[in-house]
Amino acid sequence: MKQVFFKLKLSGNGCVNFDDSAKQAELLSKLGILNGKTTGNIKLAKKVISDTGKKDEKGNPIYDYKVKISADCLRHHTFEHEVDVVTPAVQMLDTMYCNYLLSNVGITRGYMFALSSDVGKSLKRKSPLTIVDAIQTNGAKSQMFEVGTTSGPRTDTSLFSCEKVGEIEYETHGVIDLKTLSFISADEKFDRMGLYTEWIDNGLIDKVMKSHYGENAQYETGFFVSNAKYLTNTFAECGVRLGDNVVTQLVRYILRSLLGIDIRRNNAWARAVSLEVKNVNNPLEDTFNDESDWKQVDEDYIDSLEIKCDDFYHKATEEETKELVEINEKYLQNSNDKKAAKKKKKEEKRQKQAAKKAEKEAAAKAEAEASEDGE
């Protein structure tokens, strides 16, 4: 199995995802969607604007819109109940740091911990979950001129408009990429280092994996090579390859998280109401447009789900590992050369600035002495 496709339907009431309203109001007015004068203080939902193909009596295109929930908003609410705000403080202890990175939410949501002081120690991971904007599917129309007033002294912003909409339905879709999900790199050469190699060497990875996924968790650490046939140059890469029982746990976690999406505002809400999935073995044949083999997801389906991944990576052979050593030496030499060149350039710049400063001081001193002689 290579991927898992999914289709998600949501329903709700009111607008839950708002936009840069001032710019959107100006655009909607230009397109003829928003007619009449609006207040300067207006709150508008995110939208998808489309050309209807029709024209008005003056020959101008007629535009329409649908309310949407952005992919970023959906991704946030997919994982919001599983993790508190993650701060750089999580990096203070290796055990705490590794625990988060190898947790359900760390592996599936992805992360970026950049260290400006030591670029080589930055960790990042691309999420295996791809999800697109949820677009309105029913015919509900917004009321964009519902005007209210604020309490207190009257000012230019005392009057405000907030977009309102009644019962609304959305649809979105996405992909869980099993190749990305099943491998966590610990190698900085490919610019995707997600773990530190010392955690593999000192046994911290083993401890954390068993803590999260059980004593029978299937995984391997070491050097691996991609089996992708379209790659002409493949190199061994240090990392953690997750086995099928761990990948199954993670896919189940993602599906439960998608079904649990529940976006709440003071006067609006939207939540997931149905989820369908399709296991992809051949991307050329198993497509979104093909209506066959889609399964409705519920707790029973999730509990019975078993994932059998393709062989995306194989353990590096002795020859491939030897080649990696040579690459590492060249990479290290190149990196050191770049650092040396950067240091040399910085020193040359410092010397030029010092020389320029000394020249200015000498000129100022000569001018002062000439002025004294003149007097």
Side-chain angles (χ1 to χ4, degrees), residues 353-364:
Q353 289 176 339
K356 192 173 182 180
K357 181 180 179 181
E359 186 179 339
K360 283 184 178 181
E361 290 175 350

Side-chain angles (χ1 to χ4, degrees), residues 338-357:
K338 285 183 178 180
K339 287 180 181 179
K342 187 176 181 180
K343 186 176 180 180
K344 182 181 178 182
K345 187 176 180 180
K346 186 176 181 180
E347 178 61 22
E348 288 175 349
K349 183 178 179 180
R350 187 193 67 77
Q351 290 177 2
K352 285 181 180 179
Q353 289 176 339
K356 192 173 182 180
K357 181 180 179 181

Side-chain angles (χ1 to χ4, degrees), residues 79-145:
F79 299 104
E80 68 169 336
H81 301 298
E82 297 293 331
V83 62
D84 294 327
V85 176
V86 179
T87 69
V90 76
Q91 304 170 75
M92 298 300 292
L93 294 173
D94 278 0
T95 301
M96 182 169 60
Y97 198 10
C98 187
N99 257 295
Y100 172 73
L101 300 183
L102 289 179
S103 66
N104 287 337
V105 68
I107 293 176
T108 57
R109 188 185 189 188
Y111 47 81
M112 175 62 156
F113 290 96
L115 296 176
S116 57
S117 59
D118 191 349
V119 178
K121 302 296 282 184
S122 297
L123 297 182
K124 62 182 177 180
R125 173 170 169 79
K126 176 185 175 183
S127 173
L129 173 66
T130 298
I131 190 168
V132 301
D133 296 344
I135 309 299
Q136 175 188 350
T137 55
N138 67 340
K141 284 297 179 183
S142 305
Q143 298 297 324
M144 297 187 229
F145 288 101

Side-chain angles (χ1 to χ4, degrees), residues 50-330:
S50 58
D51 188 341
T52 63
K54 301 176 182 178
K55 296 186 181 296
D56 61 18
E57 59 275 9
K58 295 182 180 179
N60 298 317
I62 297 176
Y63 294 92
D64 199 2
Y65 69 90
K66 291 184 181 296
V67 176
K68 76 173 184 178
I69 304 174
S70 71
D72 286 340
C73 181
L74 291 171
R75 184 179 293 276
H76 169 75
H77 287 280
T78 299
F79 299 104
E80 68 169 336
H81 301 298
E82 297 293 331
V83 62
D84 294 327
V85 176
V86 179
T87 69
V90 76
Q91 304 170 75
M92 298 300 292
L93 294 173
D94 278 0
T95 301
M96 182 169 60
Y97 198 10
C98 187
N99 257 295
Y100 172 73
L101 300 183
L102 289 179
S103 66
N104 287 337
V105 68
I107 293 176
T108 57
R109 188 185 189 188
Y111 47 81
M112 175 62 156
F113 290 96
L115 296 176
S116 57
S117 59
D118 191 349
V119 178
K121 302 296 282 184
S122 297
L123 297 182
K124 62 182 177 180
R125 173 170 169 79
K126 176 185 175 183
S127 173
L129 173 66
T130 298
I131 190 168
V132 301
D133 296 344
I135 309 299
Q136 175 188 350
T137 55
N138 67 340
K141 284 297 179 183
S142 305
Q143 298 297 324
M144 297 187 229
F145 288 101
E146 185 160 327
V147 179
T149 59
T150 60
S151 59
R154 293 291 175 255
T155 65
D156 292 340
T157 59
S158 292
L159 289 176
F160 67 89
S161 297
C162 183
E163 182 173 355
K164 302 286 184 180
V165 68
E167 298 293 326
I168 189 166
E169 297 173 355
Y170 307 90
E171 283 189 12
T172 183
H173 61 271
V175 180
I176 303 170
D177 185 77
L178 298 181
K179 182 176 182 180
T180 303
L181 180 60
S182 63
F183 185 73
I184 308 169
S185 176
D187 206 316
E188 63 179 298
K189 291 191 304 302
F190 299 96
D191 195 32
R192 59 173 189 165
M193 183 170 68
L195 297 170
Y196 294 138
T197 53
E198 53 260 38
W199 292 348
I200 296 176
D201 298 334
N202 64 21
L204 182 58
I205 295 292
D206 294 328
K207 180 180 177 181
V208 172
M209 285 296 296
K210 290 176 181 178
S211 171
H212 281 304
Y213 306 104
E215 290 293 327
N216 296 322
Q218 298 170 352
Y219 67 94
E220 285 185 283
T221 59
F223 292 95
F224 302 90
V225 179
S226 172
N227 290 329
K229 296 179 180 178
Y230 56 83
L231 294 177
T232 55
N233 293 312
T234 56
F235 304 109
E237 184 175 2
C238 183
V240 180
R241 181 174 64 177
L242 305 179
D244 289 342
N245 73 344
V246 176
V247 172
T248 295
Q249 289 185 53
L250 293 171
V251 172
R252 289 175 179 174
Y253 166 76
I254 293 174
L255 297 181
R256 284 195 174 95
S257 298
L258 290 170
L259 271 177
I261 291 177
D262 190 359
I263 307 171
R264 300 275 174 174
R265 301 289 181 253
N266 289 337
N267 55 2
W269 58 271
R271 63 170 175 256
V273 293
S274 74
L275 177 65
E276 292 180 277
V277 297
K278 180 177 185 177
N279 297 332
V280 178
N281 297 308
N282 185 342
L284 297 178
E285 297 177 359
D286 303 324
T287 65
F288 271 105
N289 295 330
D290 180 9
E291 294 299 325
S292 62
D293 298 324
W294 285 94
K295 306 294 184 182
Q296 192 71 35
V297 175
D298 55 21
E299 278 297 325
D300 289 338
Y301 177 86
I302 293 175
D303 289 339
S304 64
L305 179 66
E306 295 292 338
I307 299 296
K308 176 64 177 174
C309 290
D310 280 14
D311 293 326
F312 298 116
Y313 295 89
H314 67 264
K315 197 86 171 182
T317 63
E318 185 177 342
E319 183 179 346
E320 289 168 332
T321 305
K322 182 179 178 182
E323 183 181 20
L324 175 65
V325 172
E326 295 175 356
I327 293 171
N328 278 336
E329 290 175 352
K330 291 180 181 179

